[in-house]
Amino acid sequence: MVEEALAELSALHIPENPDPDLVELRLHILVQGCRWEEVLATAEELIRIRVDAEPAFIHGAFALHELGRTTEARNLLLKGPPVLRKDPTYHYNIGCYEAVLGNREAALQSLCTSFALDQTYRDFALRDPDLESLRDELLL
């Protein structure tokens, strides 16, 4: 259904004057389709249009991570708008990226912040392959 949704959305999109809401909708559709290169390009477009677009930073960073560009993923998230610091997904993803990069303490700190904001992220962490190296600490 990703292709159908993108086709419908393309009929509405005006390239010379992109509507931020339509670009964000496209971003969410592309994420569902795991189309990481396109997710990244769309996230970059959304950031150009609306610099405070939280989903652009979350999904753009995740796309970078999925493309094996984890340092860039972390750096993109860190550049996000301040409101992201209240989002458990932000802290969870930073924790994952830090873990993959071998920054154990920074990873645990970010993950603990995520868990404090929303306990369901602890359940995600117990199954997340990015956090395998921290599994023992996460069980505490």
Side-chain angles (χ1 to χ4, degrees):
M1 298 215 23
V2 169
E3 292 306 319
E4 293 86 358
L6 289 172
E8 289 293 323
L9 194 57
S10 291
L12 302 174
H13 187 71
I14 303 168
E16 298 83 35
N17 189 16
D19 180 324
D21 292 332
L22 293 178
V23 175
E24 186 174 331
L25 182 56
R26 178 177 169 73
L27 178 67
H28 290 290
I29 293 166
L30 291 167
V31 167
Q32 292 304 309
C34 301
R35 293 169 60 167
W36 304 123
E37 292 285 349
E38 291 173 88
V39 168
L40 181 57
T42 304
E44 290 169 346
E45 178 183 4
L46 185 54
I47 290 168
R48 280 191 302 276
I49 297 168
R50 198 171 70 216
V51 72
D52 64 341
E54 300 165 45
F57 289 91
I58 296 286
H59 295 310
F62 190 76
L64 284 166
H65 176 62
E66 289 296 304
L67 293 168
R69 298 164 57 186
T70 302
T71 299
E72 292 173 74
R74 179 195 58 201
N75 293 343
L76 177 61
L77 262 186
L78 291 173
K79 291 181 198 172
V83 70
L84 277 176
R85 282 30 169 217
K86 296 176 183 175
D87 185 337
T89 302
Y90 168 86
H91 294 283
Y92 182 84
N93 287 0
I94 290 284
C96 289
Y97 304 156
E98 294 290 8
V100 168
L101 295 170
N103 302 324
R104 185 179 203 83
E105 291 305 315
L108 288 169
Q109 182 178 10
S110 290
L111 291 168
C112 285
T113 301
S114 176
F115 303 159
L117 292 168
D118 185 339
Q119 274 295 311
T120 60
Y121 282 82
R122 183 178 296 277
D123 296 332
F124 300 149
L126 295 175
R127 296 183 307 273
D128 194 320
D130 288 337
L131 302 175
E132 185 63 39
S133 66
L134 303 176
R135 198 72 70 223
D136 291 339
E137 286 93 340
L138 295 175
L139 292 172
L140 299 177

